[in-house]
Every structure is written in C-alpha cells, then in structure tokens.
Amino acid sequence: MANTLPPYVAPEIMDVLYTQDQIAERVRAIGKQISEEYKGQSIVLIGVLKGAAIFLADLARAITLDNTFDFVAVSSYGRARVSSGAVKLIKDIDNPIEGKHVIIVEDILDTGLTLNYLRDLMLAHKPASLKIATCLDKAERRLVPIHADYVCFEIPDRFVIGYGMDYAERYRGVQDIRIMPEDPPGH
Ligand code: IMP
C-alpha cells in the first residue's frame, strides 16, 4: 500500500467547494428537520465507515432527539464508472435494529451501489423505518435508482476530499470540502 501512495497535494492549493460554515449551516438544518420529523421518537444513526464519521458526529449533535449510533464498513470495489457492483460487508451493526427508526448516514452518494446494498441489508433486519442521510449527492453519477432523504449538497461530478472524505485515506481531517485538482485514476 505504502509504495502505491500517490504524491501528496497540499489541500491549501485545492479549490474550496463548501466552507466549514456552509457545511455547519446545512448540517444544522438537516438535524432540525430530522428532529421535527421524528418528534417524540428514538432513532438509530448508522454511519458508513470511514467517510461518514465526521458528518455523523456533527449530525448527531444537531439532532435533539434520543439517538444512538452504530457503524458499518463495506469493502471498496474501486471507483470505476462501470463497476461490478460487488459491495462486501466488512463490519456489521453491533446492535439489533428491528422495530427501530433507522437513518443510514453516508458521506457521498455516488453511483449508489454502496447504499443500494446497505439499504437492502438493513431492511432485512426489519426496522420500523429506514431513511438515508448523505452529506453529498453526485446525482449525475448514479448507476442504480436510489435517492437520499436528507442531502446537505448536490454536487457536480468532481472528486472531493475533506470533512471525512478521503483520497487514498488522506485529507479526512480537512475542514472544508475541497476539489481534487485532477480526478484520481479510475474515477
Ligand atoms: P457509491 O457506491 O458509488 O455511491 O460510492 C460511494 C462511496 O464512494 C462514498 O461513500 C465514498 O467513500 C466514495 N466516493 C465517491 N466519490 C467520492 C469523492 O469524490 N471523494 C471521496 N470519496 C468518494
């Protein structure tokens, strides 16, 4: 892995797509919306590791309802435009979700293959309801019909990093969402 790492590009030279403040404003609005829609109920937030960790941390604190977290991890099939669609579960949820109100929390809804797989997997656990929150939605890249119920921003087909999102595991801690100067190979 280490010897295949691409050269480091300083995030400071990348264009900012959304600033910290813009992100915080949208997360607050979605947290408020969820708090109103699920009023009086408890919810389970299921984050998709690792990209959604930061969004989930902020969203959970913007929701004023009783909520718990869980996390799943899936294998990456690569980011080729024509994907095999093979998504594999690496880490399942820790606690049962049967009869619970569940929101899957994702960083980016891109081709939709990951969330399509996870949605079916979670539905098999028979939750009372299942919705999807994503920080970013690249609608034009969709290969399967799936939509998110809560979206911070719909974005064009550009490769982005920051706010939990990586390129080769880097840049997750960058506070703004920034555009990689060149699309990574295979994207
Ligand atoms: P999908 O299955 O194609 O919808 O893939 C979604 C996953 O691909 C996301 O959870 C991200 O981890 C990753 N991904 C897609 N686009 C980007 C991007 O622009 N930056 C970083 N990760 C991305």
Side-chain angles (χ1 to χ4, degrees), residues 86-128:
V87 182
K88 204 172 121 213
L89 193 71
I90 303 294
K91 186 215 166 290
D92 204 348
I93 47 174
D94 294 330
N95 297 305
I97 54 167
E98 185 171 346
K100 302 203 168 167
H101 295 291
V102 173
I103 302 177
I104 302 176
V105 181
E106 176 62 305
D107 57 352
I108 305 186
L109 177 49
D110 187 24
T111 64
L113 291 165
T114 306
L115 277 174
N116 194 47
Y117 167 81
L118 284 174
R119 180 184 55 184
D120 289 350
L121 202 75
M122 293 305 136
L123 283 174
H125 288 279
K126 300 192 176 7

Side-chain angles (χ1 to χ4, degrees), residues 48-52 74 76-80 83 87 106-116 134 136 138 141-144 146 155-162 164-167 172 178 180 183-184 187:
V48 186
L49 294 171
K50 302 169 199 167
V74 292
S76 162
Y77 47 79
R79 293 188 181 117
S83 164
V87 182
E106 176 62 305
D107 57 352
I108 305 186
L109 177 49
D110 187 24
T111 64
L113 291 165
T114 306
L115 277 174
N116 194 47
T134 188
L136 303 180
K138 289 187 192 173
R141 291 251 309 160
R142 208 75 90 246
L143 292 178
V144 288
I146 183 160
I155 65 163
D157 181 9
R158 297 298 306 274
F159 197 89
V160 296
I161 55 90
M165 291 165 270
D166 75 309
Y167 172 46
R172 293 193 194 277
R178 291 176 181 256
M180 287 286 293
D183 277 356
H187 183 72

Side-chain angles (χ1 to χ4, degrees), residues 4-173:
T4 60
L5 202 59
Y8 179 73
V9 179
E12 293 75 22
I13 68 157
M14 301 180 194
D15 290 338
V16 174
L17 187 58
Y18 295 108
T19 64
Q20 264 181 275
D21 288 349
Q22 288 172 313
I23 300 165
E25 193 183 317
R26 285 298 298 141
V27 174
R28 262 198 305 274
I30 288 175
K32 188 163 177 269
Q33 188 187 345
I34 290 174
S35 304
E36 284 163 4
E37 288 178 9
Y38 290 83
K39 197 166 181 216
Q41 293 171 313
S42 301
I43 53 177
V44 183
L45 301 174
I46 300 183
V48 186
L49 294 171
K50 302 169 199 167
I54 293 178
F55 177 41
L56 185 144
D58 284 347
L59 185 62
R61 288 176 292 178
I63 293 172
T64 54
L65 303 172
D66 176 33
N67 69 78
T68 59
F69 309 163
D70 212 330
F71 291 96
V72 290
V74 292
S75 67
S76 162
Y77 47 79
R79 293 188 181 117
R81 272 160 205 280
V82 182
S83 164
S84 64
V87 182
K88 204 172 121 213
L89 193 71
I90 303 294
K91 186 215 166 290
D92 204 348
I93 47 174
D94 294 330
N95 297 305
I97 54 167
E98 185 171 346
K100 302 203 168 167
H101 295 291
V102 173
I103 302 177
I104 302 176
V105 181
E106 176 62 305
D107 57 352
I108 305 186
L109 177 49
D110 187 24
T111 64
L113 291 165
T114 306
L115 277 174
N116 194 47
Y117 167 81
L118 284 174
R119 180 184 55 184
D120 289 350
L121 202 75
M122 293 305 136
L123 283 174
H125 288 279
K126 300 192 176 7
S129 69
L130 183 67
K131 287 194 177 180
I132 292 171
T134 188
C135 182
L136 303 180
D137 184 0
K138 289 187 192 173
E140 66 187 88
R141 291 251 309 160
R142 208 75 90 246
L143 292 178
V144 288
I146 183 160
H147 90 281
D149 303 280
Y150 307 103
V151 178
C152 291
F153 305 102
E154 189 169 314
I155 65 163
D157 181 9
R158 297 298 306 274
F159 197 89
V160 296
I161 55 90
Y163 197 62
M165 291 165 270
D166 75 309
Y167 172 46
E169 294 298 329
R170 283 180 177 138
Y171 309 119
R172 293 193 194 277

